[in-house]
Amino acid sequence: MATEQSVDLVDDDTVGWFTKAVLLAALTAALAQISIPLPGTLPPFSLQPFGMFFAGLLLGPLWGGVALLLYVLVGIAGAPVFSNANAGLGYVIAGQGTGGFLVGFLVGAVVAGAIAHRSLTPKPVADLSVPVQVVALAAAVAVVYAIGVPWLAVVTGLPFARAAAVMAPYIPLDLLKLGIAVGVVQGGYLAGR
Amino acid sequence: MLSYRPGSTFAHRLDPRSKLLVQFGLAIAAVAHPTLPWLAGTTALALCTLAAAGLSPLAVLRSYRVVLAVLALAPFVAGVALGPPWFRVEPALRSALYVGRILPVLFVSAAYLTSTPVRDTRAAVQRLIPGKPGQILGIGMALVVRLFPLVLADVREVRDAIHARGGEARSLQDRVRLLAVRSLERTLDRSDRLSVALRARCFAWNPTLPPLSFARRDYPVLVLGIALAVSPLATV
């Protein structure tokens, strides 16, 4: 005897946010493979934080969080999406001492989205004022370091102050990335998104 | 880099949910106690997981060599002092012990990666997380794995195009802005096309789940995973 099952279609808005989250997860993974070498002893300029910035600003706290959660889950499942094509739970925990930063990106996207949109439903990015964008992304960067530095200390057994000193050279670069991300939004490149 | 290799080892035949539990359990157990006996025990267990997956520890060490090389610097950073005696052994040894805890986690993670296809992990996530969140994450993982190579090719194409047009001479900010804008544009265009494609195919909340089932061999592995996960509580 044939059984009937009704199809519970996903509504159009949800499909739109879902596909944006999927593609921003893929973009975060792609940007993690790209870095620009800097002169001298400066660390390479990694583009990975842009995934967190754009996920928070474009998708808000819920779907921005989903995007970064998908990124981390796919990496744990074995896809080579972390820096230098790494994968696995071991990399999320240890990384190159930087495993906590992956978790920090996830929480950072949620925090940036929550501050920028103040609602689970995101507004168009063009409606976000510059100060709100700056505060949202600065909070995201602060969260990334608030999670990443103690995590580094726990994984490596370094005293907290020394772990913070190891990560300090990256802060000006992250602030520069924050400025570039706000510039991208203000330049009207994401109008209508 | 390590990735899934088809095979018929004991680890390959296990359900991904029991392997996930052992992986997380061993990670919790390894990180919980920075002592030598604990480190020896978790490392021995992790080596067993490698044997179960038919994977050589040397291959894992080779694959994670950059990670391990960076982590190996930690004891030196911990030991350096800003005055006499300039290098202190005790904090360096403590840091070495902490870093050593990561080795079994990398081993068990490598055993999981090489014995479990991504689609099985996706199926496990979809079954372990109930309701719509599980559906979203399961289908989302499958789509990210499918689309990642395309988005990566897009980003590399944009980078090469900037380079071909003398981008090296531009300021760092300009290069990064161009790369971010063009990559984001392409990514969002792909998102719009994917959205239309999913709606055209009646994307629903009740799709058919990928098949997974526990076999008799999974039960002792599940018990081991649970025991490892709660082992820190037993020693408090």
Side-chain angles (χ1 to χ4, degrees):
Chain A
M1 198 173 86
T3 55
E4 275 189 35
Q5 190 188 4
S6 63
V7 175
D8 181 10
L9 290 178
V10 182
D11 67 87
D12 289 356
D13 280 350
T14 306
V15 175
W17 293 122
F18 171 62
T19 55
K20 281 194 177 81
V22 163
L23 265 302
L24 276 173
L27 180 65
T28 306
L31 291 176
Q33 314 309 319
I34 309 277
S35 60
I36 299 174
L38 295 179
T41 55
L42 289 169
F45 193 90
S46 160
L47 300 177
Q48 196 174 21
F50 285 103
M52 169 186 72
F53 290 156
F54 292 131
L57 287 182
L58 283 167
L59 304 181
L62 176 62
W63 291 103
V66 168
L68 270 292
L69 182 58
L70 284 174
Y71 169 60
V72 173
L73 282 176
V74 162
I76 290 175
V81 294
F82 301 140
S83 298
N84 302 316
N86 275 299
L89 177 67
Y91 193 84
V92 173
I93 290 176
Q96 289 157 27
T98 54
F101 287 80
L102 290 171
V103 178
F105 288 147
L106 164 56
V107 182
V110 174
V111 168
I115 293 175
H117 297 278
R118 277 167 286 173
S119 153
L120 289 181
T121 312
K123 297 179 253 189
V125 278
D127 293 354
L128 303 175
S129 67
V130 174
V132 166
Q133 289 174 41
V134 171
V135 169
L137 297 189
V141 171
V143 163
V144 168
Y145 281 90
I147 294 173
V149 172
W151 193 301
L152 175 69
V154 169
V155 165
T156 57
L158 289 174
F160 180 80
R162 204 159 281 201
V166 167
M167 296 316 301
Y170 292 91
I171 294 175
L173 294 178
D174 282 337
L175 294 178
L176 176 62
K177 289 169 201 174
L178 186 160
I180 293 171
V182 173
V184 167
V185 176
Q186 287 310 303
Y189 302 108
L190 302 176
R193 297 289 185 178
Chain B
M1 288 299 153
L2 292 171
S3 59
Y4 172 67
R5 294 173 200 166
S8 56
T9 64
F10 179 72
H12 281 84
R13 282 179 281 131
L14 288 171
D15 185 284
R17 289 166 290 183
S18 40
K19 284 188 276 187
L20 269 177
L21 191 57
V22 167
Q23 190 183 196
F24 278 94
L26 189 58
I28 291 168
V31 174
H33 291 286
T35 60
L36 262 182
W38 201 265
L39 173 62
T42 51
T43 305
L45 198 53
L47 287 170
C48 292
T49 66
L50 286 183
L55 189 61
S56 151
L58 287 178
V60 180
L61 294 176
R62 223 179 3 255
S63 182
Y64 282 120
R65 61 187 178 281
V66 177
V67 172
L68 292 169
V70 175
L71 287 175
L73 293 175
F76 293 102
V77 175
V80 168
L82 295 177
W86 302 108
F87 190 85
R88 290 177 299 142
V89 176
E90 194 203 339
L93 285 178
R94 178 174 173 272
S95 172
L97 187 60
Y98 273 67
V99 169
R101 297 175 308 168
I102 301 305
L103 203 56
V105 182
L106 291 176
F107 281 164
V108 73
S109 156
Y112 181 85
L113 289 184
T114 51
S115 66
T116 317
V118 174
R119 66 175 178 278
D120 277 10
T121 309
R122 171 251 163 132
V125 165
Q126 204 160 337
R127 281 173 187 276
L128 288 171
I129 302 173
K132 291 179 178 176
Q135 298 283 3
I136 284 286
L137 292 176
I139 301 165
M141 284 175 70
L143 287 170
V144 173
V145 170
R146 172 71 187 86
L147 292 164
F148 164 57
L150 300 177
V151 175
L152 180 58
D154 282 348
V155 174
R156 286 189 170 143
E157 207 175 287
V158 171
R159 184 194 58 184
D160 293 346
I162 294 170
H163 185 74
R165 287 160 180 78
E168 301 289 296
R170 285 174 175 262
S171 69
L172 176 68
Q173 289 95 313
D174 264 2
R175 283 155 67 190
V176 174
R177 183 180 52 78
L178 282 171
L179 188 60
V181 167
R182 300 289 167 239
S183 303
L184 198 56
E185 269 177 1
R186 287 186 179 205
T187 302
L188 293 175
D189 285 346
R190 280 193 189 280
S191 153
D192 292 343
R193 292 200 296 275
L194 178 64
S195 174
V196 171
L198 285 178
R199 278 182 281 162
R201 286 160 180 78
C202 299
F203 182 42
W205 286 117
N206 46 356
T208 309
L209 279 176
L212 282 185
S213 62
F214 284 118
R216 196 174 286 176
R217 59 180 164 268
D218 283 299
Y219 293 106
V221 178
L222 276 172
V223 171
L224 173 66
I226 293 167
L228 284 167
V230 300
S231 61
L233 298 175
T235 55
V236 168

